[in-house]
Amino acid sequence: MNQIVNYNAIAPNYNARYDQNPLAGISRALRALVKQNRARDVLEVGCGTGRWVMELNPLARRVVGLDFSLGMLKQARGQDEALSLTNGDANRLPFPSASFDLVLSVNALHHYADQRAFIAEARRLLRAGGALAIINLDPHIGRDRWYLYDYFDGVLTTDLRRFPSSGKLLDWMLESGFARTEWRVAEHVHQEFIGREILDNPFTQKGGSSQLALVSDAAYADGMERIHAALDNADGAPPVFVTDQWLTLLAGWVQ
């Protein structure tokens, strides 16, 4: 079982990440999926503060957001009271079978207690011709660079445990009865933070990402000490802190 992040505590500052990077590639990919599938009813599992529910709401007859965190749902409701939101568990989705044309999980799968069971649940909810789409990091590929992995002990090891590989996810989709699958890159995030800019980056804060929310206070302090040492000991040009990530989209279609 994955470690549990207290998203009720993180919720008030969560949207700062979208102010820094609105993830336009993911937006395009999700909009294309709705149009490609002619999706009338869409469910996002792990909807958080409602970023993608609001994005897709004008494109379908019904877009429902589900999240386990009441704090995150409160933030979503505060942005738009008309959103269709519900509290629930990704492994026990409270909807009838064959009730959606598209089920989405965007940067959320690593929080589910049983990721394989979620895929089977999503398959249950889909009508003929419907699709499941999962967007997530895949640290198993080994091409991502992230300063969090460089400066905070144990973060990469934990991510390798929390995030299933793309190959494993595709296998689970086929085993759950999806007729065909697809893998592609949804978003390439490349950012460089020069010198002390890194200190104001939302992802550097203790609650700015699930990666740092999961480390102990002592481990977080050690990582920040390393960052400050790099800043203080720079000889000439300030250090550059790099985020270079490839967010993958894995989709499975029902016949």
Side-chain angles (χ1 to χ4, degrees):
M1 180 179 292
N2 282 334
Q3 294 170 272
I4 297 174
V5 178
N6 182 6
Y7 269 101
N8 292 334
I10 291 173
N13 299 314
Y14 186 84
N15 280 347
R17 63 179 57 199
Y18 299 127
D19 295 334
Q20 175 184 275
N21 184 349
L23 299 176
I26 291 178
S27 175
R28 288 191 296 271
L30 295 180
R31 285 174 167 269
L33 281 168
V34 172
K35 293 177 182 178
Q36 174 185 349
N37 279 58
R38 299 178 181 175
R40 297 164 297 163
D41 299 297
V42 178
L43 170 66
E44 184 189 0
V45 180
C47 69
T49 56
R51 167 75 176 86
W52 306 115
V53 176
M54 288 186 288
E55 177 88 11
L56 300 179
N57 216 23
L59 303 182
R61 177 177 66 184
R62 178 177 63 131
V63 180
V64 179
L66 177 142
D67 205 277
F68 188 75
S69 166
L70 291 172
M72 296 290 269
L73 292 174
K74 181 180 178 181
Q75 294 296 316
R77 183 73 68 199
Q79 296 180 87
D80 186 345
E81 292 186 357
L83 294 179
S84 178
L85 303 170
T86 188
N87 178 238
D89 188 325
N91 294 136
R92 292 182 293 275
L93 296 171
F95 306 101
S97 298
S99 54
F100 291 95
D101 305 298
L102 181 61
V103 176
L104 305 171
S105 175
V106 183
N107 293 329
L109 183 78
H110 50 293
H111 296 299
Y112 305 163
D114 188 335
Q115 297 155 344
R116 188 174 186 173
F118 160 72
I119 290 174
E121 266 288 86
R123 170 65 183 84
R124 177 184 68 81
L125 294 187
L126 287 168
R127 299 175 180 131
L132 165 65
I134 297 171
I135 295 177
N136 241 26
L137 287 174
D138 184 355
H140 299 271
I141 294 175
R143 63 178 173 181
D144 292 344
R145 293 177 60 198
W146 199 7
Y147 70 91
L148 293 189
Y149 292 160
D150 299 329
Y151 287 90
F152 294 90
D153 286 343
V155 169
L156 176 56
T157 300
T158 299
D159 272 4
L160 288 169
R161 184 179 69 249
R162 295 195 303 155
F163 290 82
S165 70
S166 297
K168 183 174 289 186
L169 287 174
L170 293 172
D171 285 345
W172 288 346
M173 285 182 180
L174 293 172
E175 290 168 8
S176 295
F178 288 87
R180 63 183 179 91
T181 59
E182 175 187 318
W183 178 101
R184 61 187 171 90
V185 173
E187 180 95 36
H188 178 208
V189 177
H190 183 88
Q191 297 171 310
E192 296 184 359
F193 303 93
I194 310 300
R196 296 187 180 275
E197 290 178 354
I198 196 62
L199 301 177
D200 295 323
N201 182 24
F203 284 93
T204 309
Q205 313 314 309
K206 179 67 170 75
S209 66
S210 65
Q211 282 77 12
L212 295 189
L214 287 173
V215 303
S216 68
D217 290 344
Y220 177 72
D222 287 345
M224 290 305 299
E225 186 175 333
R226 294 186 190 99
I227 287 176
H228 281 285
L231 293 170
D232 294 340
N233 297 330
D235 184 13
V240 179
F241 300 86
V242 175
T243 297
D244 194 76
Q245 298 170 321
W246 304 78
L247 300 177
T248 60
L249 185 154
L250 297 99
W253 279 268
V254 176
Q255 280 188 334

